[in-house]
Amino acid sequence: MILEKKNSWKNNKIAGHIGALITVICWGCSFIASKVLMEGAGMTPVEVYVYRFTLAYLMMLVFTFKEIKSKSWADELQMALCGICSGTLYFLMENYALIYTSTGNVSLLSSISPIFTAILLSIIYKTRMQSGEIIGSCVAFFGVALVIMSESISKGLGMEIHPIGDILAISCALSWAVYSIAIKRLIPIYNTLFLTRKLFFYGLITSLPLLFIQKEPLHINVLFDFSHPVFFLNLLFLAVMCSSMAYLLWNESMKIIGPLATNNYLYIQPPVTMFAGCLLLGETIYPFGYVGCVLVLLGLIIADKIKNKNR
């Protein structure tokens, strides 16, 4: 009986890691799809966000339309906080950061979310980071830095500091960490489908005003031009794979392996984007990029294995 429980726990843990891995692979490819919609179809970042999550919300509603309200107003407010932090604030700060600083700076600084998550966990839940988690996070973060800065290093260029954009990118990482901690209490109480739908709802209603006040015209008509289906297919990928499925898997992974272990997988996102850019856009991968990928994987292994030995 004890052996069966142990095997069941191991199987669940493996499922949690696989779910987090699939999610970051989708999110890593999402940059390519968003780029197609913004550069090819002329959409603004707010448009891409609203169209993507509207479609994802409607899909969630199909499966959870019988359950509308949460168990209390306190839970509802916490869901609103999660939706705003993981949706509106995160995506808008990330996109505006790109205006004021380089893509490399944004990618690197927004990837420190696991560090913020660990700090908030220690403050709010009085947990303590184990040595393996600290070492693994540092190794993985250094790997991310190599992946993102591989071109600059290869060409002898440095990393420039742009205070406004860099602060926005750091705030973006903090926003995701707040979501990860805020949802921790709700995950055991609510069905993951219902919870994910709530996040999409609050993310949408707080971003719609920004869509209506933007000066640029809307480009929704290009989605229905089926003589060029590439735009609709990219939006469908963002809505189905990167929003509906990805957030479901992410929230389920946090339930199984915890917010910190799940958030550590965010370090894999830049390497995924690097390989996706190479395969789909013909972008160059520099030698330091490969070294960075190895360090990211090594960091995740260290964080998991050493932590388990200490338990």
Side-chain angles (χ1 to χ4, degrees):
M1 188 71 178
I2 294 173
L3 185 61
E4 286 180 6
K5 284 185 177 179
K6 189 175 180 181
N7 288 334
S8 175
W9 178 81
K10 282 185 177 179
N11 290 336
N12 282 337
K13 192 167 182 265
I14 290 170
H17 285 292
I18 291 173
L21 180 60
I22 292 172
T23 300
V24 294
I25 289 173
C26 289
W27 285 344
C29 295
S30 70
F31 290 101
I32 309 298
S34 296
K35 189 173 183 178
V36 170
L37 291 173
M38 286 190 285
E39 293 185 1
M43 291 185 185
T44 63
V46 177
E47 267 191 285
V48 174
Y49 172 76
V50 170
Y51 298 158
R52 165 184 172 178
F53 280 91
T54 297
L55 189 55
Y57 174 75
L58 293 174
M59 285 189 283
M60 291 289 102
L61 192 61
V62 170
F63 296 102
T64 60
F65 65 91
K66 291 183 180 179
E67 193 177 5
I68 301 298
K69 296 180 180 178
S70 57
K71 300 180 188 297
S72 68
W73 279 108
D75 289 355
E76 196 73 29
L77 288 172
Q78 200 156 346
M79 288 176 192
L81 174 65
C82 292
I84 293 168
C85 287
S86 67
T88 311
L89 282 179
Y90 180 84
F91 283 97
L92 289 181
M93 284 193 291
E94 182 180 66
N95 288 328
Y96 278 108
L98 289 169
I99 297 173
Y100 296 104
T101 189
S102 66
T103 304
N105 284 28
V106 174
S107 299
L108 182 61
L109 295 172
S110 64
S111 72
I112 64 175
S113 176
I115 297 171
F116 282 135
T117 303
I119 293 170
L120 290 176
L121 275 171
S122 65
I123 294 172
I124 297 171
Y125 290 98
K126 310 298 180 186
T127 60
R128 203 167 124 194
M129 278 189 82
Q130 311 224 359
S131 59
E133 292 173 330
I134 296 171
I135 296 168
S137 288
C138 291
V139 172
F141 180 72
F142 185 65
V144 169
L146 280 182
V147 169
I148 292 166
M149 299 178 67
S150 59
E151 182 178 0
S152 298
I153 295 170
S154 299
K155 294 180 178 179
L157 303 174
M159 180 178 178
E160 296 182 0
I161 296 173
H162 304 279
I164 296 175
D166 293 344
I167 290 170
L168 281 171
I170 293 171
S171 301
C172 174
L174 179 59
S175 175
W176 188 267
V178 170
Y179 148 68
S180 300
I181 301 304
I183 205 169
K184 180 177 168 63
R185 185 184 68 82
L186 299 171
I187 285 175
I189 303 172
Y190 293 95
N191 177 280
T192 308
L193 275 168
F194 171 78
L195 198 54
T196 304
R197 192 201 79 205
K198 281 287 189 179
L199 301 188
F200 290 170
F201 173 75
Y202 284 112
L204 272 174
I205 62 171
T206 51
S207 61
L208 280 174
L210 297 170
L211 180 68
F212 295 139
I213 64 173
Q214 73 172 21
K215 295 178 181 178
E216 296 85 352
L218 299 180
H219 301 82
I220 194 169
N221 58 302
V222 301
L223 298 174
F224 301 100
D225 180 9
F226 294 109
S227 62
H228 298 88
V230 63
F231 301 127
F232 179 76
L233 290 174
N234 275 277
L235 180 69
L236 200 62
F237 171 72
L238 288 172
V240 177
M241 301 297 292
C242 303
S243 297
S244 296
M245 187 196 75
Y247 274 79
L248 282 172
L249 288 176
W250 192 255
N251 290 333
E252 197 63 31
S253 293
M254 284 202 286
K255 184 187 293 186
I256 297 170
I257 61 176
L260 184 56
T262 305
N263 272 274
N264 277 338
Y265 275 90
L266 290 172
Y267 290 129
I268 295 179
Q269 191 170 299
V272 170
T273 304
M274 180 182 72
F275 282 109
C278 176
L279 293 172
L280 301 175
L281 301 177
E283 296 177 351
T284 304
I285 298 179
Y286 294 87
F288 281 107
Y290 292 109
V291 176
C293 289
V294 173
L295 288 176
V296 168
L297 294 174
L298 181 62
L300 291 174
I301 292 169
I302 291 172
D304 187 56
K305 296 300 178 185
I306 295 181
K307 177 184 65 176
N308 286 339
K309 285 179 182 178
N310 289 344
R311 280 179 179 171

